[in-house]
């Protein structure tokens, strides 16, 4: 294989049989040409998923630097293109890797807006619909009502034959005074996105007219009222590299039912008879051409920039944020539009991919409510992973935190009744318990309920007079926890109920632990749990937000448990 600025791939056999060749072809090119490799590497599904986020970020940086060259040649002998300084193979591998990383990703959160939700607001007095869709539709209508009167209608001129010869005419100074869009609906459009139907629209225009004939001429003014305008618009929904929603005009048409003309001038009767329908038909043609152009421009210049301002992440607290970015283009069916979102907690200090994958969600075909949300166990478990790594799930308990009626005293004298060696080694000293999970908690969601099976380490210390800590013992505690979930305001909240504790001694710094000491220690750990669980439930009561506007009120709520996810269905009304 010869090397230079233009790389040429030689026949592999000839290359190896040629004495002038001092090294074998590049192993990647050898693979392409069918030569057996000298090295084989394998990346597993687990590895691919772990590097998904990092791979996409690298890909975005690298692809942005690619320079596309001119290239020519035939299919038999295409000249090698120079891409980014000879990085053609590198770029191709990055693209292939990115496709492998992205393909098959499951969402951590699914949002569905049904046809019932999209069509909210057909009746202005109705208060039973998804106001978010209605609000977006109304804002779009307001934009069009501002833009459509700005349409510039060109002068119209021509020649009309008559019994006395040709008559030259001109319609000019055409101006739209108002363009009203009183009624609109929105519905899913399968395979595309959304269909917005504007009906019963009307417009008022004015202009000047003039005609000339070799025998006479006249001019004057006219007014038009155009009624029965319908504008069906199809919007293609997608997503960009940042996971934000995109929308563009897929199709548009304009239909006009009726044009009323009022003409002023000296020869108005004769002129009107001569040009009966001419003014209306020309204006209709001009409007039909211009209206959809305005709609398309508004989608690209107003709607699309607005969508890019909508955040796809939300900071939960000082530890974590929640990623609601789209991982796929929206999926439109005849009944709904589904949004597959990442649904992933991430660390604000250092973002990295979770070492596990979202499970597949078998989202049911439900359309009775306006909005549905599918919350995967992946979302909850990424939260546990982030807070565990941040150390935010570690609790420290000292005697001043223990309720007086709990029957638990955190000092060496009290624990010395169970383990005499503690009191002998550290007489009359306060104690501290440090409780932390041994691994990130993992929530299991099944039709039967929500559950966790955590393992927790409880490290006991004596607090010495100089405030330093002396280790006493460490217990390994396992239990089963049942959980419940609920919706409060716009948040998903939770509550834990702990089961029976099972203890084992991990380490002792004060000598051996007889079995009867462990039995007494179990009662003490139950009292510790009685202190910790309310604190954890207080955190869970703060919840995490659903991706909804603050001015929506939820009602007719349904919450069901499915395999690996919660299904939430709601109707909404707008709080004015």
């Amino acid at each position: 294989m010869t090397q230079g600025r233009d790389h040429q791939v030689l026949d592999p056999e000839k290359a190896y049989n040629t004495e002038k060749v001092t090294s074998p072809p590049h192993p990647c090119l050898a693979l392409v040409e069918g030569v057996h490799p000298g090295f084989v590497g394998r990346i597993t599904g687990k590895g691919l998923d772990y590097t998904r986020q990092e791979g996409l970020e690298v890909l975005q940086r690298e692809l942005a630097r690619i320079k596309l060259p001119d290239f020519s040649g035939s299919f038999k002998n295409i000249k090698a293109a120079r891409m980014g300084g000879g990085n053609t193979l590198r770029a191709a591998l990055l693209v292939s890797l990115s496709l492998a990383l992205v393909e098959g990703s499951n969402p951590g959160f699914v949002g569905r807006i049904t046809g019932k939700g999209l069509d909210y607001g057909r009746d202005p007095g109705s208060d039973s619909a998804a106001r978010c869709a209605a609000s977006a539709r109304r804002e779009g209508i307001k934009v069009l009502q501002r833009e459509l009167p700005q349409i510039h209608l060109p002068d119209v001129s021509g020649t009309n034959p008559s019994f006395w010869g040709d008559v030259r005419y001109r319609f000019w100074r055409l101006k739209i005074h108002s363009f009203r869009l009183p009624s609109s609906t929105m519905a899913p459009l399968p395979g595309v996105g959304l269909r917005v139907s504007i009906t019963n629209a009307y417009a008022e225009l004015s202009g000047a007219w003039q005609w000339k004939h070799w025998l006479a001429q006249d001019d004057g003014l006219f007014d038009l009222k155009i009624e029965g305008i319908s504008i069906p618009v199809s919007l293609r929904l997608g997503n960009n590299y940042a996971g934000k929603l995109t929308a563009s005009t897929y199709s548009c048409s304009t239909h006009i039912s009726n044009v009323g003309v009022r003409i002023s001038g000296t020869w108005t009767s004769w002129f009107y008879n001569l040009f009966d329908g001419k003014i209306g038909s020309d204006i209709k043609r001009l409007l039909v051409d211009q209206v959809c152009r305005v709609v398309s421009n508004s989608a690209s210049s107003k709607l699309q920039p607005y969508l890019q301002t909508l955040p796809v992440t939300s900071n939960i607290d000082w530890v974590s944020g929640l990623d609601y970015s789209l991982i796929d283009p929206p999926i439109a069916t005849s009944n709904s539009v589904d949004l597959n979102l990442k649904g992933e907690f991430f660390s604000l200090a250092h973002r990295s991919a979770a070492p596990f994958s979202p499970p597949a969600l078998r989202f049911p075909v439900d359309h009775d409510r306006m909005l549905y949300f599918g919350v995967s166990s992946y979302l909850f478990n990424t939260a546990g992973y982030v807070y565990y790594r941040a150390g935010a799930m570690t609790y420290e308990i000292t005697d001043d935190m223990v309720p007086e009626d709990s029957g638990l005293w955190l000092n060496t004298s009290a624990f010395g009744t169970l383990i005499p060696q503690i009191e002998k080694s550290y007489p009359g000293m306060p104690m501290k318990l440090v409780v932390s999970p041994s691994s990130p908690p993992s929530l299991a969601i099944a039709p039967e309920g929500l559950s966790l099976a955590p393992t927790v380490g409880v490290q006991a210390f004596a607090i010495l007079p100089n405030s330093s800590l002396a280790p006493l013992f460490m217990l390994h505690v396992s239990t089963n926890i049942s959980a419940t979930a609920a919706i409060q305001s716009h948040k998903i909240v939770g509550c834990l109920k702990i089961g029976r504790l099972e203890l084992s001694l991990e380490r002792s710094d004060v000598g051996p632990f007889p079995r009867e000491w462990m039995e007494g220690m179990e009662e003490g750990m139950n009292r510790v749990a009685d202190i910790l669980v309310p604190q954890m439930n207080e955190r869970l009561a703060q919840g995490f937000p659903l991706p909804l506007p603050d001015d929506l009120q939820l009602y007719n709520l349904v919450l069901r448990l499915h395999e690996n996810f919660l299904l939430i269905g709601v109707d909404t009304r707008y709080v004015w």
Side-chain angles (χ1 to χ4, degrees), residues 485-493 546 554 557-559 568 570:
I487 306 298
Q488 291 182 2
S489 298
H490 290 178
K491 294 183 177 181
I492 298 180
V493 299
L546 293 170
L554 310 182
L557 187 144
V558 59
L559 192 152
I568 302 165
V570 296

Side-chain angles (χ1 to χ4, degrees), residues 437-461:
S438 305
S439 59
S442 179
L443 177 70
I445 304 178
E448 298 78 28
L450 310 174
S451 62
L452 301 95
T455 57
V456 177
V458 180
Q459 173 73 64
F461 296 94

Side-chain angles (χ1 to χ4, degrees), residues 397 401-403 406 408 526-535:
I397 305 175
M401 301 169 59
V402 179
S406 67
L408 177 68
N526 278 317
R527 293 173 183 174
V528 170
D530 292 339
I531 297 170
L532 288 182
V533 171
Q535 294 183 34

Side-chain angles (χ1 to χ4, degrees), residues 107-119:
F109 188 96
V110 177
R112 169 178 292 170
I113 181 166
T114 65
K116 178 182 176 183
L118 285 171
D119 198 37

Side-chain angles (χ1 to χ4, degrees), residues 26-30 32 81 83 86-96:
H26 191 283
C28 289
L29 294 180
V32 173
M83 295 178 63
N87 286 332
T88 308
L89 181 60
R90 182 185 181 195
L93 289 174
L94 279 170
V95 172
S96 300

Side-chain angles (χ1 to χ4, degrees), residues 390-454:
M393 304 184 80
T394 297
Y395 292 84
E396 295 185 354
I397 305 175
T398 54
D399 193 61
D400 59 332
M401 301 169 59
V402 179
E404 293 183 1
D405 60 353
S406 67
L408 177 68
W409 294 271
L410 286 181
N411 57 66
T412 56
S413 298
F415 270 76
T417 61
L418 294 174
I419 311 168
Q421 189 60 38
I422 291 179
E423 171 66 11
K424 290 179 182 179
S425 301
Y426 304 98
M429 294 184 185
M431 289 175 58
K432 174 188 284 189
L433 299 180
V434 178
V435 182
S436 60
S438 305
S439 59
S442 179
L443 177 70
I445 304 178
E448 298 78 28
L450 310 174
S451 62
L452 301 95

Side-chain angles (χ1 to χ4, degrees), residues 274-571:
L274 182 63
F275 295 95
D276 183 19
K278 187 66 177 175
I279 297 178
S281 62
D282 284 348
I283 299 301
K284 284 173 63 175
R285 176 178 54 80
L286 291 175
L287 275 180
V288 166
D289 292 341
Q290 294 286 341
V291 166
C292 283
R293 189 172 303 171
V294 170
V295 170
S296 181
N297 289 340
S298 296
S300 59
S301 64
K302 300 292 195 305
L303 176 60
Q304 184 58 29
Y306 168 73
L307 292 175
Q308 300 315 297
T309 67
L310 300 178
V312 293
T313 61
S314 173
N315 288 354
I316 303 301
D317 52 27
W318 61 274
V319 174
S320 72
L322 185 53
D323 190 331
Y324 278 123
S325 60
L326 282 162
I327 64 170
D328 296 311
I331 302 170
T333 67
S334 58
N335 296 307
S336 62
V337 176
D338 285 1
L339 305 175
N340 290 331
L341 310 180
K342 181 167 287 187
E344 178 181 273
F345 275 80
F346 60 90
S347 169
L348 296 179
H350 175 68
R351 183 163 186 175
S352 60
F356 47 85
S357 305
L361 304 185
R362 297 174 62 87
F363 209 72
V365 185
D366 287 0
H367 305 104
D368 295 336
R369 299 296 192 272
M370 297 170 189
L371 298 174
Y372 286 91
F373 302 105
V375 189
S376 170
S377 58
Y378 176 79
L379 184 146
F380 297 106
N381 291 333
T382 56
Y385 175 73
V386 168
Y387 284 94
Y388 172 80
R389 293 191 66 189
M393 304 184 80
T394 297
Y395 292 84
E396 295 185 354
I397 305 175
T398 54
D399 193 61
D400 59 332
M401 301 169 59
V402 179
E404 293 183 1
D405 60 353
S406 67
L408 177 68
W409 294 271
L410 286 181
N411 57 66
T412 56
S413 298
F415 270 76
T417 61
L418 294 174
I419 311 168
Q421 189 60 38
I422 291 179
E423 171 66 11
K424 290 179 182 179
S425 301
Y426 304 98
M429 294 184 185
M431 289 175 58
K432 174 188 284 189
L433 299 180
V434 178
V435 182
S436 60
S438 305
S439 59
S442 179
L443 177 70
I445 304 178
E448 298 78 28
L450 310 174
S451 62
L452 301 95
T455 57
V456 177
V458 180
Q459 173 73 64
F461 296 94
I463 304 176
L464 303 181
N466 62 1
S467 299
S468 62
L469 301 178
L472 301 176
F473 58 85
M474 185 171 183
L475 298 177
H476 178 90
V477 183
S478 60
T479 186
N480 291 314
I481 296 178
S482 61
T484 57
I487 306 298
Q488 291 182 2
S489 298
H490 290 178
K491 294 183 177 181
I492 298 180
V493 299
C495 184
L496 303 179
K497 183 178 179 180
I498 197 165
R500 183 177 179 275
L501 302 181
E502 295 184 3
L503 277 62
S504 61
L505 182 64
E506 186 81 11
R507 187 184 72 252
S508 172
D509 298 283
V510 291
F513 267 48
R515 179 180 298 273
E516 58 270 19
W517 293 2
M518 289 299 298
E519 293 175 356
M521 194 65 69
E522 183 175 333
E523 178 63 25
M525 290 302 103
N526 278 317
R527 293 173 183 174
V528 170
D530 292 339
I531 297 170
L532 288 182
V533 171
Q535 294 183 34
M536 291 187 285
N537 284 337
E538 185 177 348
R539 278 195 184 185
L540 293 174
Q542 298 173 7
F544 67 88
L546 293 170
L548 289 172
D550 293 334
D551 45 11
L552 280 181
Q553 184 182 63
L554 310 182
Y555 69 103
N556 285 346
L557 187 144
V558 59
L559 192 152
R560 293 199 298 268
L561 301 181
H562 290 259
E563 195 68 33
N564 295 322
F565 72 100
L566 299 177
L567 177 67
I568 302 165
V570 296
D571 285 330

